[in-house]
Amino acid sequence: MATTSDFHLQFQEFDDAENLLGGNRDATTISIDDAGHKPQQQKRHAGMPFENDEDTLANDDKTELLSGQKKSAPFWTFDYYQTFFDVETHQVKDRIIGSLLPWPGKNFVRLYIRNNPDLYGPFWICATLVFAIAISGNISNFLVHLGQPKYKYVPEFRKVTIAATAIYSYAWLVPLALWGLLMWRNTKVMNLVSYSFLEIVCVYGYSLSIYIPAVVLWIIPYDGVRWCSIVVALCLSGSVLALTFWPAVRDDHPRVAIAIMSAIVALHTLLAVGCKAYFFSTPEAEGPADISKTLLVTLAH
């Protein structure tokens, strides 16, 4: 049984605690009911994370350390090809503008492609060019033969297939052949500049963007306008290819370097001239007056 002195001692201790709190209002007390929670909060306020925080930080550190060691997805899965389309809109816009404005001393791959090569831009540029060629070619043929009594307009949908075969074959097979050639020459001559297959595909894909407005101008049934647009497009896009691939071949034998660059420019020219010759009819039998009359009749209808 508790004695009077015991009660006195307990009261005295409580009195001391009250005096201490009166002297220091910022002090923190711990009750028996909060014994399971307050120490953790005190540790947190003191800057000492408890066990759950330590586990979280440890897991974050492990994730960060292992993030660079993740294996890439197999090439037959969708995730593998999804990385090639991971590009922002402003990056695609800058690459298109860069392909339209070549500048000596500026490498297109180093400035725009190397950090994040993509297939999004080349794929849609080629697709847009295919439909632009097919639609513009049909409209051009319609304007050329409009007014002829025996002419009956029939849409040529097969031009879409032919244009797609020509454009995508050029945008994929030529870069593949060039990549293999550069890899073979690098085994014989150590070049300081080398490109991956994806980077070469990007260069060729974005270099075709200038042909989209040029093809739209080919609707006008004047050979002078068409050839001027071809020359401008060839100079701009050909300059992008020449400025990009010349550093990769200039350390090679001069004849080999000149042959490779000549082949690049020749194939690029052949694509433009071939599309113009196949998809766009030349109004040979009509003079400028007849063509103008045809256009006026078309606008009147």
Side-chain angles (χ1 to χ4, degrees), residues 146-172:
L146 183 64
Q148 298 179 4
K150 297 182 179 180
Y151 175 71
K152 182 180 180 180
Y153 173 73
V154 177
E156 300 181 68
F157 295 105
R158 61 185 178 86
K159 288 187 175 182
V160 177
T161 304
I162 298 174
T165 303
I167 297 299
Y168 279 101
S169 297
Y170 174 80
W172 284 92

PDB file of all heavy atoms in Angstrom, residues 146-172:
ATOM      1  N   LEU A 146      -7.300  18.475-119.926  1.00  0.00           N
ATOM      2  CA  LEU A 146      -8.625  19.060-119.828  1.00  0.00           C
ATOM      3  C   LEU A 146      -8.964  19.817-121.108  1.00  0.00           C
ATOM      4  O   LEU A 146      -8.140  20.586-121.629  1.00  0.00           O
ATOM      5  CB  LEU A 146      -8.713  20.003-118.632  1.00  0.00           C
ATOM      6  CG  LEU A 146     -10.076  20.620-118.368  1.00  0.00           C
ATOM      7  CD1 LEU A 146     -11.104  19.554-118.019  1.00  0.00           C
ATOM      8  CD2 LEU A 146      -9.975  21.648-117.244  1.00  0.00           C
ATOM      9  N   GLY A 147     -10.139  19.625-121.620  1.00  0.00           N
ATOM     10  CA  GLY A 147     -10.567  20.291-122.851  1.00  0.00           C
ATOM     11  C   GLY A 147     -10.445  19.435-124.084  1.00  0.00           C
ATOM     12  O   GLY A 147     -10.981  19.792-125.139  1.00  0.00           O
ATOM     13  N   GLN A 148      -9.741  18.319-123.988  1.00  0.00           N
ATOM     14  CA  GLN A 148      -9.640  17.406-125.121  1.00  0.00           C
ATOM     15  C   GLN A 148     -10.929  16.589-125.230  1.00  0.00           C
ATOM     16  O   GLN A 148     -11.382  16.026-124.235  1.00  0.00           O
ATOM     17  CB  GLN A 148      -8.432  16.490-124.959  1.00  0.00           C
ATOM     18  CG  GLN A 148      -7.103  17.237-124.929  1.00  0.00           C
ATOM     19  CD  GLN A 148      -5.911  16.314-124.750  1.00  0.00           C
ATOM     20  OE1 GLN A 148      -6.068  15.089-124.723  1.00  0.00           O
ATOM     21  NE2 GLN A 148      -4.726  16.892-124.642  1.00  0.00           N
ATOM     22  N   PRO A 149     -11.498  16.501-126.431  1.00  0.00           N
ATOM     23  CA  PRO A 149     -12.801  15.827-126.580  1.00  0.00           C
ATOM     24  C   PRO A 149     -12.773  14.355-126.187  1.00  0.00           C
ATOM     25  O   PRO A 149     -13.743  13.844-125.622  1.00  0.00           O
ATOM     26  CB  PRO A 149     -13.116  15.996-128.075  1.00  0.00           C
ATOM     27  CG  PRO A 149     -12.283  17.148-128.521  1.00  0.00           C
ATOM     28  CD  PRO A 149     -11.050  17.114-127.697  1.00  0.00           C
ATOM     29  N   LYS A 150     -11.707  13.675-126.478  1.00  0.00           N
ATOM     30  CA  LYS A 150     -11.654  12.235-126.222  1.00  0.00           C
ATOM     31  C   LYS A 150     -11.112  11.888-124.830  1.00  0.00           C
ATOM     32  O   LYS A 150     -10.986  10.711-124.509  1.00  0.00           O
ATOM     33  CB  LYS A 150     -10.789  11.553-127.286  1.00  0.00           C
ATOM     34  CG  LYS A 150     -11.333  11.683-128.699  1.00  0.00           C
ATOM     35  CD  LYS A 150     -10.438  10.947-129.690  1.00  0.00           C
ATOM     36  CE  LYS A 150     -10.989  11.051-131.106  1.00  0.00           C
ATOM     37  NZ  LYS A 150     -10.124  10.325-132.084  1.00  0.00           N
ATOM     38  N   TYR A 151     -10.767  12.904-124.061  1.00  0.00           N
ATOM     39  CA  TYR A 151     -10.159  12.627-122.754  1.00  0.00           C
ATOM     40  C   TYR A 151     -11.234  12.430-121.701  1.00  0.00           C
ATOM     41  O   TYR A 151     -12.188  13.202-121.597  1.00  0.00           O
ATOM     42  CB  TYR A 151      -9.241  13.775-122.335  1.00  0.00           C
ATOM     43  CG  TYR A 151      -8.669  13.613-120.948  1.00  0.00           C
ATOM     44  CD1 TYR A 151      -7.707  12.649-120.670  1.00  0.00           C
ATOM     45  CD2 TYR A 151      -9.122  14.421-119.900  1.00  0.00           C
ATOM     46  CE1 TYR A 151      -7.204  12.498-119.396  1.00  0.00           C
ATOM     47  CE2 TYR A 151      -8.613  14.278-118.621  1.00  0.00           C
ATOM     48  CZ  TYR A 151      -7.658  13.308-118.380  1.00  0.00           C
ATOM     49  OH  TYR A 151      -7.157  13.152-117.106  1.00  0.00           O
ATOM     50  N   LYS A 152     -11.105  11.380-120.938  1.00  0.00           N
ATOM     51  CA  LYS A 152     -11.986  11.095-119.818  1.00  0.00           C
ATOM     52  C   LYS A 152     -11.119  10.853-118.586  1.00  0.00           C
ATOM     53  O   LYS A 152     -10.287   9.953-118.568  1.00  0.00           O
ATOM     54  CB  LYS A 152     -12.851   9.867-120.101  1.00  0.00           C
ATOM     55  CG  LYS A 152     -13.833   9.559-118.980  1.00  0.00           C
ATOM     56  CD  LYS A 152     -14.669   8.336-119.301  1.00  0.00           C
ATOM     57  CE  LYS A 152     -15.645   8.039-118.175  1.00  0.00           C
ATOM     58  NZ  LYS A 152     -16.467   6.827-118.476  1.00  0.00           N
ATOM     59  N   TYR A 153     -11.342  11.663-117.574  1.00  0.00           N
ATOM     60  CA  TYR A 153     -10.498  11.581-116.371  1.00  0.00           C
ATOM     61  C   TYR A 153     -10.823  10.331-115.571  1.00  0.00           C
ATOM     62  O   TYR A 153     -11.982  10.062-115.250  1.00  0.00           O
ATOM     63  CB  TYR A 153     -10.694  12.822-115.504  1.00  0.00           C
ATOM     64  CG  TYR A 153      -9.987  12.726-114.173  1.00  0.00           C
ATOM     65  CD1 TYR A 153      -8.600  12.842-114.108  1.00  0.00           C
ATOM     66  CD2 TYR A 153     -10.700  12.516-112.991  1.00  0.00           C
ATOM     67  CE1 TYR A 153      -7.938  12.748-112.895  1.00  0.00           C
ATOM     68  CE2 TYR A 153     -10.047  12.423-111.781  1.00  0.00           C
ATOM     69  CZ  TYR A 153      -8.660  12.532-111.740  1.00  0.00           C
ATOM     70  OH  TYR A 153      -8.013  12.433-110.547  1.00  0.00           O
ATOM     71  N   VAL A 154      -9.786   9.573-115.264  1.00  0.00           N
ATOM     72  CA  VAL A 154      -9.902   8.378-114.437  1.00  0.00           C
ATOM     73  C   VAL A 154      -8.810   8.457-113.363  1.00  0.00           C
ATOM     74  O   VAL A 154      -7.623   8.530-113.700  1.00  0.00           O
ATOM     75  CB  VAL A 154      -9.736   7.089-115.259  1.00  0.00           C
ATOM     76  CG1 VAL A 154      -9.798   5.863-114.355  1.00  0.00           C
ATOM     77  CG2 VAL A 154     -10.797   7.013-116.337  1.00  0.00           C
ATOM     78  N   PRO A 155      -9.174   8.474-112.082  1.00  0.00           N
ATOM     79  CA  PRO A 155      -8.140   8.535-111.029  1.00  0.00           C
ATOM     80  C   PRO A 155      -7.203   7.327-111.095  1.00  0.00           C
ATOM     81  O   PRO A 155      -7.660   6.190-111.245  1.00  0.00           O
ATOM     82  CB  PRO A 155      -8.957   8.530-109.736  1.00  0.00           C
ATOM     83  CG  PRO A 155     -10.310   8.989-110.137  1.00  0.00           C
ATOM     84  CD  PRO A 155     -10.540   8.502-111.530  1.00  0.00           C
ATOM     85  N   GLU A 156      -5.930   7.586-110.991  1.00  0.00           N
ATOM     86  CA  GLU A 156      -4.918   6.525-111.058  1.00  0.00           C
ATOM     87  C   GLU A 156      -4.421   6.224-109.651  1.00  0.00           C
ATOM     88  O   GLU A 156      -3.424   6.784-109.196  1.00  0.00           O
ATOM     89  CB  GLU A 156      -3.766   6.946-111.970  1.00  0.00           C
ATOM     90  CG  GLU A 156      -4.201   7.250-113.407  1.00  0.00           C
ATOM     91  CD  GLU A 156      -3.038   7.641-114.282  1.00  0.00           C
ATOM     92  OE1 GLU A 156      -2.179   6.771-114.570  1.00  0.00           O
ATOM     93  OE2 GLU A 156      -2.973   8.821-114.676  1.00  0.00           O
ATOM     94  N   PHE A 157      -5.127   5.337-108.981  1.00  0.00           N
ATOM     95  CA  PHE A 157      -4.766   4.996-107.613  1.00  0.00           C
ATOM     96  C   PHE A 157      -3.479   4.169-107.551  1.00  0.00           C
ATOM     97  O   PHE A 157      -2.831   4.103-106.500  1.00  0.00           O
ATOM     98  CB  PHE A 157      -5.905   4.236-106.939  1.00  0.00           C
ATOM     99  CG  PHE A 157      -7.157   5.051-106.776  1.00  0.00           C
ATOM    100  CD1 PHE A 157      -8.260   4.841-107.592  1.00  0.00           C
ATOM    101  CD2 PHE A 157      -7.233   6.040-105.803  1.00  0.00           C
ATOM    102  CE1 PHE A 157      -9.407   5.593-107.438  1.00  0.00           C
ATOM    103  CE2 PHE A 157      -8.384   6.798-105.640  1.00  0.00           C
ATOM    104  CZ  PHE A 157      -9.474   6.568-106.462  1.00  0.00           C
ATOM    105  N   ARG A 158      -3.116   3.546-108.641  1.00  0.00           N
ATOM    106  CA  ARG A 158      -1.891   2.750-108.642  1.00  0.00           C
ATOM    107  C   ARG A 158      -0.658   3.620-108.454  1.00  0.00           C
ATOM    108  O   ARG A 158       0.407   3.119-108.073  1.00  0.00           O
ATOM    109  CB  ARG A 158      -1.770   1.977-109.949  1.00  0.00           C
ATOM    110  CG  ARG A 158      -1.692   2.852-111.195  1.00  0.00           C
ATOM    111  CD  ARG A 158      -1.683   2.035-112.470  1.00  0.00           C
ATOM    112  NE  ARG A 158      -1.647   2.891-113.641  1.00  0.00           N
ATOM    113  CZ  ARG A 158      -0.516   3.360-114.167  1.00  0.00           C
ATOM    114  NH1 ARG A 158       0.651   3.047-113.602  1.00  0.00           N
ATOM    115  NH2 ARG A 158      -0.552   4.128-115.230  1.00  0.00           N
ATOM    116  N   LYS A 159      -0.805   4.925-108.694  1.00  0.00           N
ATOM    117  CA  LYS A 159       0.330   5.818-108.494  1.00  0.00           C
ATOM    118  C   LYS A 159       0.736   5.891-107.025  1.00  0.00           C
ATOM    119  O   LYS A 159       1.903   6.143-106.714  1.00  0.00           O
ATOM    120  CB  LYS A 159      -0.001   7.211-109.018  1.00  0.00           C
ATOM    121  CG  LYS A 159      -0.044   7.315-110.541  1.00  0.00           C
ATOM    122  CD  LYS A 159      -0.213   8.744-111.001  1.00  0.00           C
ATOM    123  CE  LYS A 159      -0.123   8.840-112.515  1.00  0.00           C
ATOM    124  NZ  LYS A 159      -0.242  10.230-113.005  1.00  0.00           N
ATOM    125  N   VAL A 160      -0.226   5.688-106.139  1.00  0.00           N
ATOM    126  CA  VAL A 160       0.107   5.686-104.712  1.00  0.00           C
ATOM    127  C   VAL A 160       1.040   4.527-104.386  1.00  0.00           C
ATOM    128  O   VAL A 160       2.046   4.684-103.677  1.00  0.00           O
ATOM    129  CB  VAL A 160      -1.177   5.612-103.860  1.00  0.00           C
ATOM    130  CG1 VAL A 160      -0.830   5.547-102.384  1.00  0.00           C
ATOM    131  CG2 VAL A 160      -2.077   6.806-104.151  1.00  0.00           C
ATOM    132  N   THR A 161       0.714   3.347-104.923  1.00  0.00           N
ATOM    133  CA  THR A 161       1.550   2.168-104.671  1.00  0.00           C
ATOM    134  C   THR A 161       2.935   2.329-105.287  1.00  0.00           C
ATOM    135  O   THR A 161       3.952   2.007-104.645  1.00  0.00           O
ATOM    136  CB  THR A 161       0.872   0.913-105.243  1.00  0.00           C
ATOM    137  OG1 THR A 161      -0.433   0.796-104.689  1.00  0.00           O
ATOM    138  CG2 THR A 161       1.677  -0.326-104.909  1.00  0.00           C
ATOM    139  N   ILE A 162       2.974   2.832-106.507  1.00  0.00           N
ATOM    140  CA  ILE A 162       4.270   3.005-107.182  1.00  0.00           C
ATOM    141  C   ILE A 162       5.112   4.059-106.460  1.00  0.00           C
ATOM    142  O   ILE A 162       6.316   3.881-106.245  1.00  0.00           O
ATOM    143  CB  ILE A 162       4.054   3.385-108.650  1.00  0.00           C
ATOM    144  CG1 ILE A 162       3.320   2.254-109.380  1.00  0.00           C
ATOM    145  CG2 ILE A 162       5.372   3.687-109.333  1.00  0.00           C
ATOM    146  CD1 ILE A 162       2.923   2.590-110.798  1.00  0.00           C
ATOM    147  N   ALA A 163       4.480   5.153-106.064  1.00  0.00           N
ATOM    148  CA  ALA A 163       5.212   6.204-105.353  1.00  0.00           C
ATOM    149  C   ALA A 163       5.717   5.703-104.010  1.00  0.00           C
ATOM    150  O   ALA A 163       6.855   5.997-103.603  1.00  0.00           O
ATOM    151  CB  ALA A 163       4.320   7.425-105.169  1.00  0.00           C
ATOM    152  N   ALA A 164       4.889   4.933-103.286  1.00  0.00           N
ATOM    153  CA  ALA A 164       5.307   4.398-101.988  1.00  0.00           C
ATOM    154  C   ALA A 164       6.486   3.451-102.146  1.00  0.00           C
ATOM    155  O   ALA A 164       7.443   3.489-101.354  1.00  0.00           O
ATOM    156  CB  ALA A 164       4.137   3.691-101.318  1.00  0.00           C
ATOM    157  N   THR A 165       6.441   2.601-103.181  1.00  0.00           N
ATOM    158  CA  THR A 165       7.553   1.671-103.408  1.00  0.00           C
ATOM    159  C   THR A 165       8.841   2.417-103.706  1.00  0.00           C
ATOM    160  O   THR A 165       9.911   2.086-103.175  1.00  0.00           O
ATOM    161  CB  THR A 165       7.208   0.720-104.566  1.00  0.00           C
ATOM    162  OG1 THR A 165       5.989   0.030-104.269  1.00  0.00           O
ATOM    163  CG2 THR A 165       8.326  -0.289-104.787  1.00  0.00           C
ATOM    164  N   ALA A 166       8.748   3.439-104.552  1.00  0.00           N
ATOM    165  CA  ALA A 166       9.943   4.193-104.933  1.00  0.00           C
ATOM    166  C   ALA A 166      10.518   4.984-103.760  1.00  0.00           C
ATOM    167  O   ALA A 166      11.729   4.943-103.499  1.00  0.00           O
ATOM    168  CB  ALA A 166       9.619   5.131-106.097  1.00  0.00           C
ATOM    169  N   ILE A 167       9.651   5.684-103.025  1.00  0.00           N
ATOM    170  CA  ILE A 167      10.122   6.560-101.945  1.00  0.00           C
ATOM    171  C   ILE A 167      10.685   5.751-100.787  1.00  0.00           C
ATOM    172  O   ILE A 167      11.797   6.011-100.291  1.00  0.00           O
ATOM    173  CB  ILE A 167       8.990   7.474-101.461  1.00  0.00           C
ATOM    174  CG1 ILE A 167       8.538   8.396-102.593  1.00  0.00           C
ATOM    175  CG2 ILE A 167       9.445   8.296-100.260  1.00  0.00           C
ATOM    176  CD1 ILE A 167       9.614   9.306-103.119  1.00  0.00           C
ATOM    177  N   TYR A 168       9.944   4.741-100.325  1.00  0.00           N
ATOM    178  CA  TYR A 168      10.403   3.978 -99.163  1.00  0.00           C
ATOM    179  C   TYR A 168      11.599   3.089 -99.511  1.00  0.00           C
ATOM    180  O   TYR A 168      12.455   2.832 -98.647  1.00  0.00           O
ATOM    181  CB  TYR A 168       9.260   3.140 -98.594  1.00  0.00           C
ATOM    182  CG  TYR A 168       8.334   3.933 -97.707  1.00  0.00           C
ATOM    183  CD1 TYR A 168       7.112   4.397 -98.192  1.00  0.00           C
ATOM    184  CD2 TYR A 168       8.688   4.240 -96.400  1.00  0.00           C
ATOM    185  CE1 TYR A 168       6.259   5.141 -97.377  1.00  0.00           C
ATOM    186  CE2 TYR A 168       7.844   4.971 -95.591  1.00  0.00           C
ATOM    187  CZ  TYR A 168       6.639   5.424 -96.079  1.00  0.00           C
ATOM    188  OH  TYR A 168       5.807   6.162 -95.262  1.00  0.00           O
ATOM    189  N   SER A 169      11.686   2.627-100.740  1.00  0.00           N
ATOM    190  CA  SER A 169      12.873   1.865-101.140  1.00  0.00           C
ATOM    191  C   SER A 169      14.112   2.756-101.116  1.00  0.00           C
ATOM    192  O   SER A 169      15.179   2.346-100.645  1.00  0.00           O
ATOM    193  CB  SER A 169      12.674   1.272-102.535  1.00  0.00           C
ATOM    194  OG  SER A 169      11.607   0.345-102.540  1.00  0.00           O
ATOM    195  N   TYR A 170      13.941   3.967-101.624  1.00  0.00           N
ATOM    196  CA  TYR A 170      15.068   4.907-101.598  1.00  0.00           C
ATOM    197  C   TYR A 170      15.447   5.274-100.172  1.00  0.00           C
ATOM    198  O   TYR A 170      16.633   5.338 -99.829  1.00  0.00           O
ATOM    199  CB  TYR A 170      14.700   6.162-102.382  1.00  0.00           C
ATOM    200  CG  TYR A 170      15.732   7.259-102.293  1.00  0.00           C
ATOM    201  CD1 TYR A 170      16.880   7.221-103.073  1.00  0.00           C
ATOM    202  CD2 TYR A 170      15.555   8.326-101.418  1.00  0.00           C
ATOM    203  CE1 TYR A 170      17.835   8.225-102.983  1.00  0.00           C
ATOM    204  CE2 TYR A 170      16.504   9.333-101.321  1.00  0.00           C
ATOM    205  CZ  TYR A 170      17.635   9.272-102.102  1.00  0.00           C
ATOM    206  OH  TYR A 170      18.593  10.265-102.003  1.00  0.00           O
ATOM    207  N   ALA A 171      14.442   5.515 -99.314  1.00  0.00           N
ATOM    208  CA  ALA A 171      14.714   5.978 -97.946  1.00  0.00           C
ATOM    209  C   ALA A 171      15.267   4.890 -97.045  1.00  0.00           C
ATOM    210  O   ALA A 171      15.811   5.208 -95.971  1.00  0.00           O
ATOM    211  CB  ALA A 171      13.441   6.560 -97.325  1.00  0.00           C
ATOM    212  N   TRP A 172      15.174   3.607 -97.446  1.00  0.00           N
ATOM    213  CA  TRP A 172      15.666   2.514 -96.611  1.00  0.00           C
ATOM    214  C   TRP A 172      16.819   1.741 -97.246  1.00  0.00           C
ATOM    215  O   TRP A 172      17.809   1.446 -96.573  1.00  0.00           O
ATOM    216  CB  TRP A 172      14.520   1.542 -96.284  1.00  0.00           C
ATOM    217  CG  TRP A 172      13.602   2.062 -95.244  1.00  0.00           C
ATOM    218  CD1 TRP A 172      12.460   2.772 -95.422  1.00  0.00           C
ATOM    219  CD2 TRP A 172      13.760   1.947 -93.821  1.00  0.00           C
ATOM    220  NE1 TRP A 172      11.887   3.096 -94.216  1.00  0.00           N
ATOM    221  CE2 TRP A 172      12.663   2.590 -93.219  1.00  0.00           C
ATOM    222  CE3 TRP A 172      14.717   1.347 -93.009  1.00  0.00           C
ATOM    223  CZ2 TRP A 172      12.495   2.667 -91.840  1.00  0.00           C
ATOM    224  CZ3 TRP A 172      14.549   1.407 -91.628  1.00  0.00           C
ATOM    225  CH2 TRP A 172      13.461   2.064 -91.061  1.00  0.00           C
TER     226      TRP A 172
END
